[in-house]
Amino acid sequence: MILKNKEIAIIGGGPSGLTLARLLQLKDANVKVYERDLNKDARVQGSPLDMHEDSGYAALSQANLLEEFNKNVHTGADKRIIVNERAEIVLSDHETQPEEDADSRPSNPEIDRGALRKILLESLQPETIVWSSQFFSMEKQNEGWLLHFKEGSSAYADIVVAADGANSKIRPYVTSIKAFYSGIIMLEINVNDAQNAAPHIYALLNGGKVMAFGNGRNILGGQKDNGGLGFYATFKADENWVTDNGLNYSDRKQLLAWFKKEYSEWSSIWYELFKNAATPVIPRPIYCMPLDQTWETLPNLTMIGDAAHVMPPFAGEGANTAMLDALELSKCLTSGKYNTVQEAISSYELAMRKRASIA
Ligand SMILES: Cc1cc2nc3c(=O)[nH]c(=O)nc-3n(C[C@H](O)[C@H](O)[C@H](O)COP(=O)(O)OP(=O)(O)OC[C@H]3O[C@@H](n4cnc5c(N)ncnc54)[C@H](O)[C@@H]3O)c2cc1C
């Protein structure tokens, strides 16, 4: 087996990195995940994800985690309405029967990001995650890489997998191709205890999701399992809007005033999101990798997930594609079909680039 006596470092403990770690450990590989977060509770996790049959769900199935996953599926959260800026319903699937397969489960089951992360973390062997390890550089050492972390520690690995997301610090060691700005900003807003804090929106959602469109702007959001809401206000703006707009992201009054101006023709129902937002709200400029990107495969370094192919989130494919990367890379590395790690990576990367462009 090409992984025999090899130490694998996965940089980043998001959906892609954790799924890869789990799948490789099931094949007895020697894996560490280096994650910059201080610990598992360091960050609020964003809005729920729906797992697609052939990608996210397939990866969880191969990882033997379906039982845990199914326990955490958020029933009804996949129901959606489409509304206009006045919050009038244009389309709703709340009344339609769920599309179910032979196992009687929804076709795109929803799970909170936090629950998914917990399931993956708990599936790993103890000491797999090295918290508080923010990668900042590496150099070749012997046949592998010596990794350096901001906190002052270093570690050696024979194989390195970049799973460190859209702003990957490892990607430049693979290719100079960069993501381009899509022209869109998404302002992430979380509201706790939605029933009391945003009662009208809570009622409108009816346990599911909403997509609101009007005047070239958009609001997307949904019910979280913990009684809160996860929302994104989406609009076109310059890339430097995030730093140049003068907004204090922890000042709800200021944010509401901005919203009233920017979304001037929108119903006042949406004000609830800003009046009771958990602060700070998080501005997310949306990037995309060129669809025709290519690079020469390296002997022992590759990328998965957003590090390889960040994309706008509107098709709900990012995390799903990221987890499928983990599945496909683990298969290539452990199938016995390839004579070297480089051949296995090459086969994975060819298919991954094609798949990601389509997504
Ligand atoms: C607004 C929005 C909505 C979305 N909605 C959906 C959706 O509905 N469905 C869907 O499938 N996808 C969705 N996505 C996309 C999805 O979030 C990403 O595609 C997915 O999280 C990618 O997973 P990943 O593991 O590759 O990277 P990430 O989730 O970004 O994880 C990267 C990990 O690496 C860590 N890290 C970063 N830098 C370093 C470093 N230097 N050293 C060590 N660790 C580091 C981070 O802390 C993080 O834990 C959405 C994205 C956005 C922005």
Side-chain angles (χ1 to χ4, degrees), residues 87-333:
E88 293 160 348
I89 296 176
V90 177
L91 210 74
S92 165
D93 66 5
H94 279 262
E95 301 312 321
T96 53
Q97 290 300 312
E99 226 182 276
E100 291 183 348
D101 67 9
D103 306 328
S104 298
R105 57 180 171 75
S107 56
N108 285 329
E110 291 264 344
I111 187 165
D112 277 11
R113 283 176 193 254
L116 179 63
R117 195 181 206 208
K118 186 162 178 278
I119 291 169
L120 289 165
L121 283 172
E122 287 177 357
S123 75
L124 298 176
Q125 291 162 14
E127 318 293 326
T128 303
I129 309 279
V130 190
W131 298 104
S132 229
S133 302
Q134 183 170 356
F135 171 90
F136 80 91
S137 72
M138 64 185 184
E139 73 243 3
K140 290 210 170 116
Q141 189 180 74
N142 306 323
E143 299 297 300
W145 295 95
L146 185 62
L147 305 156
H148 301 289
F149 301 98
K150 209 174 144 205
E151 295 76 6
S153 55
S154 298
Y156 174 83
D158 299 292
I159 300 169
V160 175
V161 180
D164 54 340
N167 298 314
S168 173
K169 297 288 178 287
I170 301 177
R171 188 178 163 91
Y173 293 85
V174 179
T175 171
S176 58
I177 300 169
K178 293 190 172 104
F180 60 90
Y181 175 56
S182 70
I184 289 172
I185 308 265
M186 298 180 84
L187 202 57
E188 180 178 328
I189 307 149
N190 290 289
V191 179
N192 300 322
D193 184 17
Q195 198 165 3
N196 292 311
H200 295 95
I201 294 185
Y202 179 84
L204 181 72
L205 288 178
N206 192 13
K209 297 180 179 202
V210 63
M211 300 170 91
F213 298 92
N215 310 102
R217 288 168 185 74
N218 164 244
I219 293 182
L220 303 172
Q223 180 73 54
K224 288 191 188 183
D225 220 5
N226 64 2
L229 303 177
F231 264 83
Y232 300 98
T234 306
F235 49 94
K236 291 178 188 158
D238 286 344
E239 190 173 9
N240 50 10
W241 180 91
V242 173
T243 46
D244 292 359
N245 61 33
L247 284 175
N248 174 351
Y249 295 112
S250 293
D251 184 337
R252 294 188 193 96
K253 266 195 190 149
Q254 219 189 81
L255 290 163
L256 178 59
W258 166 84
F259 180 78
K260 285 180 177 175
K261 200 164 147 228
E262 185 71 20
Y263 284 65
S264 59
E265 290 165 50
W266 285 57
S267 156
S268 56
I269 189 179
W270 306 109
Y271 299 173
E272 286 181 351
L273 292 176
F274 290 87
K275 281 182 183 156
N276 292 306
T279 54
V281 305
I282 306 161
R284 298 194 184 280
I286 301 299
Y287 291 86
C288 186
M289 284 303 168
L291 301 187
D292 58 352
Q293 60 171 341
T294 185
W295 59 82
E296 237 167 78
T297 295
L298 297 174
N300 53 6
L301 173 62
T302 188
M303 306 184 281
I304 57 176
D306 279 7
H309 47 60
V310 64
M311 61 184 79
F314 302 103
E317 288 284 354
N320 281 284
T321 311
M323 290 166 75
L324 184 56
D325 288 351
L327 176 57
E328 294 299 329
L329 178 59
S330 72
K331 276 189 195 161
C332 287
L333 287 171

